Amino acid sequence: MSKINYKSVEEIELIRESSLLVSKTLAEVAKVIRAGVKTITLNDLAETFIRDHGGVPAFLNYNGFPYSLCISLNDQVVHGFPGSYELKDGDIVSVDCGVVLNNFVGDSAYTFPIGEVDPGTLKLLQVTKECLNLGVEKAIVGMRVGDIAYAVQEHAEKNGYGVVKELVGHGVGYKLHEKPEVPNYGKRGSGAKLEEGMVIAIEPMINAGRAAVKFWSDGWTVSASDGKPSAHYEHTVAIKKGKPDILSTFKFVEEVLEQKK
Ligand code: MG
Ligand code: MG
């Protein structure tokens, strides 16, 4: 079992650059995402944008994953394949992006509503984003991984949602997936101690219905067993004293979405 990698201040700045390129890539996706667009189009524009900015898509060929983005529709939780599917009004779509830039990795995900989405599903998106924010608040020196996990789980379950257990957040920076695991469920005060120099990806995966998931025979796609919608938001966060240092940002995406209204 590998150990937790602690990053220097300089290394954290490099992970911030990678994470900001992820955030800007998600904003490029936000510009074109709408009903009628094929999900492979989003993948291809993201790959071009990342490479044009000196990066490499972190997911492409990772353990054999064949695309630059994970694009997960509706009841799909994570790790969906982009393809010929045309987005339609009422869909929700999780777009997960990772970038390697100067040998450092950033990772972030955003779930987009397409056109008119029913209010119940919009609430799922809102609550999942709140779960992320509540988890991020606990990502400071002196807390433990279980404090993040508990904050996410408590908020999701209070709203009647299912917390996906089979997939978790993770350390990130030198590689896409490092120690420690950062689950979205757990007990306060449990798990790895959060210390200066740790960089973690916090990524609640929250189901509108039951928590159970199924794994597809494509070897990647994970979906909600009951077929109900699932949402996913993710930030890369550096552990500091007093307040979390969020290295990725939704600012660029949300500016684009605001302009499209
Ligand atoms: Mg991700
Ligand atoms: Mg991740």
Side-chain angles (χ1 to χ4, degrees):
M1 202 57 100
S2 56
K3 284 187 174 169
I4 292 171
N5 297 316
Y6 296 88
K7 281 86 179 181
S8 69
V9 171
E10 293 76 16
E11 288 173 332
I12 287 171
E13 290 314 306
L14 289 165
I15 301 169
R16 190 189 310 279
E17 285 184 27
S18 307
S19 301
L20 288 176
L21 182 50
V22 172
S23 302
K24 288 173 183 169
T25 304
L26 291 173
E28 292 300 302
V29 168
K31 285 178 188 170
V32 304
I33 198 166
R34 58 172 58 80
V37 170
K38 289 186 171 70
T39 56
I40 193 69
T41 304
L42 305 175
N43 177 82
D44 294 351
L45 79 86
E47 175 163 3
T48 301
F49 186 82
I50 291 165
R51 293 193 191 279
D52 283 350
H53 290 78
V56 174
F59 300 169
L60 186 61
N61 302 320
Y62 182 85
N63 292 337
F65 188 79
Y67 298 98
S68 296
L69 296 179
C70 295
I71 298 189
S72 308
L73 294 156
N74 299 320
D75 61 326
Q76 296 170 11
V77 178
V78 286
H79 303 166
F81 285 180
S84 59
Y85 178 83
E86 280 183 15
L87 295 170
K88 61 181 198 314
D89 219 41
D91 282 343
I92 58 167
V93 52
S94 157
V95 179
D96 194 350
C97 181
V99 159
V100 187
L101 180 67
N102 301 313
N103 292 320
F104 288 87
V105 186
D107 187 10
S108 180
Y110 195 90
T111 301
F112 295 89
I114 306 300
E116 288 290 311
V117 170
D118 80 82
T121 305
L122 285 178
K123 187 187 169 207
L124 172 71
L125 300 189
Q126 179 61 34
V127 169
T128 305
K129 204 189 293 180
E130 289 165 4
C131 286
L132 172 59
N133 293 335
L134 291 165
V136 166
E137 277 178 23
K138 304 293 181 193
I140 52 175
V141 172
M143 293 285 176
R144 287 177 181 267
V145 164
D147 294 305
I148 298 172
Y150 178 85
V152 170
Q153 179 178 22
E154 200 261 341
H155 191 60
E157 291 182 350
K158 191 175 72 188
N159 282 279
Y161 297 144
V163 174
V164 174
K165 312 281 197 305
E166 289 84 348
L167 300 132
V168 296
H170 49 92
V172 64
Y174 299 157
K175 293 190 295 179
L176 180 58
H177 293 123
E178 300 178 4
K179 294 277 134 193
E181 290 193 342
V182 183
N184 295 305
Y185 63 96
K187 288 193 172 68
R188 278 182 284 197
S190 72
K193 253 184 167 170
L194 300 178
E195 296 174 295
E196 196 103 32
M198 288 172 70
V199 179
I200 57 174
I202 302 175
E203 50 179 318
M205 291 157 255
I206 306 298
N207 293 346
R210 292 177 182 278
V213 296
K214 57 186 176 193
F215 292 83
W216 291 24
S217 59
D218 65 13
W220 285 100
T221 311
V222 181
S223 66
S225 292
D226 63 8
K228 292 186 178 165
S230 182
H232 176 219
Y233 293 86
E234 177 179 28
H235 273 316
T236 293
V237 182
I239 305 300
K240 299 271 170 72
K241 289 196 185 79
K243 87 191 243 300
D245 187 1
I246 310 168
L247 305 181
S248 50
T249 176
F250 294 151
K251 186 182 77 170
F252 305 123
V253 163
E254 291 181 342
E255 280 171 5
V256 171
L257 295 181
E258 199 53 45
Q259 282 167 10
K260 280 170 83 176
K261 270 184 189 165

